[in-house]
Amino acid sequence: MRFTDMVVLVTGAGTGVGRAVARGFAGEGATVVAAGRGRESLEQTVKLIEAGGGRAAAITVDVTDSAAVARLIREIVARFGRLDVAVNNAGIFAAGAVADMPEEDWARVLQVNTTGVFLALKHEIAAMRAQGSGVIVNIASNIGAHIRVPGVGAYAASKAAVSALTRTAALENIGAGVRINAVSPGPLDTAMSLRPGETEDDRAARVRESLPIGRVGALDEITGTVLWLASDDAGFAVGLDLVLDGGASA
Ligand SMILES: NC(=O)c1ccc[n+]([C@@H]2O[C@H](COP(=O)([O-])OP(=O)(O)OC[C@H]3O[C@@H](n4cnc5c(N)ncnc54)[C@H](OP(=O)(O)O)[C@@H]3O)[C@@H](O)[C@H]2O)c1
C-alpha cells in the first residue's frame, strides 16, 4: 500500500497500459484520476477499480489541447486537494517510411506523443511545485528512445523527444521536490503492438524469433516498474529512462 491517500493521474487510462497502471495504483491505496478522450472506456476503468474496492474518477481530456490539460489539473487539485503522481501514458502509433509518410500522420504522432507529454508536464509541474512535491513517470518507448526500426520514423522521433524532455524536466525540477523519470517499453501485450492484420498468435511467433526474451511484455511487468519509479523506493531515481524491452536494446 505504497500510495495510500495519494492522488494519482494516469492519462490514456481507458485501455492497455494506462488501465493496468491505474488499477495498480488504486490497488495500493491511491485515488486515481483516469484521463483520456473516450468517456466509456475511462468509466469502465473506474468500474473495475471500484469493483476491487479502490477509488477512482474519470475525466475526459485531449492531451493535445493545452487549455483542456490545464483544466484537468485544476479540477484534480480542486476536487482532491493535490496531485501526488502523474503518469503521462497517452500515445498513438503510426507506421510508415520517412519518404512515404503523409505529413498529417507525422504531425498527428508528434502532436499526441510529444506535445501531449510536454503540455501534461507543463501543467503537472506547476501544480507539484506549488505543493512542494510530486512524482511524474512518462511512458516513452524503446523504439526511438533506444533503438531504431525502419518504417517507424515518426513514432521513433516522438518518443526520443519524450526521453529527452523527461531528463531535461527532471534536472529543472528536482530542486523543487518534483521527481521525473520515464519508462521505455518494448512490445507489450496490448493492441498497439499488433501489426495490421496480425493475430496475437502471429505476434507471439514474430516476437519469439525477434526479441531476445522471446515474448511480449506483460502488463503486470510494466505496471510494477511504473509503480516502483513513482514510489519512495525509487527516491534517488531522477531523470532515468528505464528500458524495459526484453533485451531488444541490449
Ligand atoms: N504496447 C506497446 O507495445 C508499447 C510499447 C512501447 C511503448 N508503448 C507506449 O505505451 C503507451 C500506452 O500504449 P498502449 O499499448 O496501452 O496503447 P493503447 O491501448 O492504444 O493506449 C493509448 C491510450 O492513449 C489514449 N489517447 C490517445 N490519444 C489521446 C489524446 N489525444 N488525448 C488523450 N488520450 C489519448 C487512448 O485513449 P482515447 O483514444 O480514448 O483517448 C488510449 O487509452 C503509449 O504511449 C505507447 O506509445 C506501448
Side-chain angles (χ1 to χ4, degrees):
M1 300 300 281
R2 290 170 291 181
F3 302 99
T4 301
D5 296 332
M6 291 194 189
V7 179
V8 177
L9 164 65
V10 182
T11 68
T15 60
V17 172
R19 174 176 283 171
V21 166
R23 295 180 75 182
F25 277 108
E28 291 207 35
T31 296
V32 174
V33 175
R37 288 173 309 177
R39 174 157 292 282
E40 263 177 41
S41 58
L42 295 174
E43 281 173 355
Q44 190 56 32
T45 298
V46 170
K47 269 197 199 125
L48 288 166
I49 288 173
E50 288 174 347
R55 282 185 306 274
I59 303 181
T60 53
V61 72
D62 183 333
V63 294
T64 67
D65 178 345
S66 179
V69 177
R71 258 196 317 276
L72 167 71
I73 304 302
R74 270 201 310 274
E75 184 175 344
I76 292 171
V77 174
R79 269 172 76 176
F80 303 106
R82 50 191 297 109
L83 174 62
D84 297 294
V85 178
V87 181
N88 297 320
N89 160 79
I92 58 172
F93 180 82
V98 173
D100 305 328
M101 173 160 268
E103 287 168 36
E104 310 79 66
D105 287 7
W106 162 264
R108 197 167 49 88
V109 170
L110 270 287
Q111 192 65 20
V112 177
N113 292 2
T114 306
T115 306
V117 170
F118 161 71
L119 291 174
L121 281 170
K122 181 178 168 69
H123 297 294
E124 290 157 1
I125 287 168
M128 289 174 175
R129 287 182 76 104
Q131 69 195 16
S133 67
V135 183
I136 299 175
V137 181
N138 294 325
I139 307 299
S141 170
N142 70 334
I143 294 179
H146 301 276
I147 60 172
R148 258 59 53 182
V149 178
V152 199
Y155 184 78
S158 75
K159 293 296 191 177
V162 170
S163 179
L165 204 55
T166 298
R167 286 173 284 179
T168 306
L171 293 174
E172 290 169 353
N173 292 287
I174 190 60
V178 180
R179 201 163 58 74
I180 305 176
N181 293 284
V183 177
S184 280
L188 300 170
D189 186 14
T190 76
M192 192 184 276
S193 64
L194 290 169
R195 291 185 177 166
E198 196 177 51
T199 65
E200 287 187 11
D201 285 345
D202 298 335
R203 181 184 62 191
R206 168 170 57 84
V207 168
R208 222 176 359 258
E209 294 302 314
S210 59
L211 207 60
I213 202 170
R215 62 171 177 83
V216 294
L219 290 178
D220 279 354
E221 291 171 320
I222 173 121
T223 298
T225 305
V226 171
L227 265 64
W228 172 74
L229 268 179
S231 76
D232 287 345
D233 294 336
F236 205 49
V238 176
L240 211 65
D241 174 4
L242 199 54
V243 195
L244 207 69
D245 70 354
S249 58

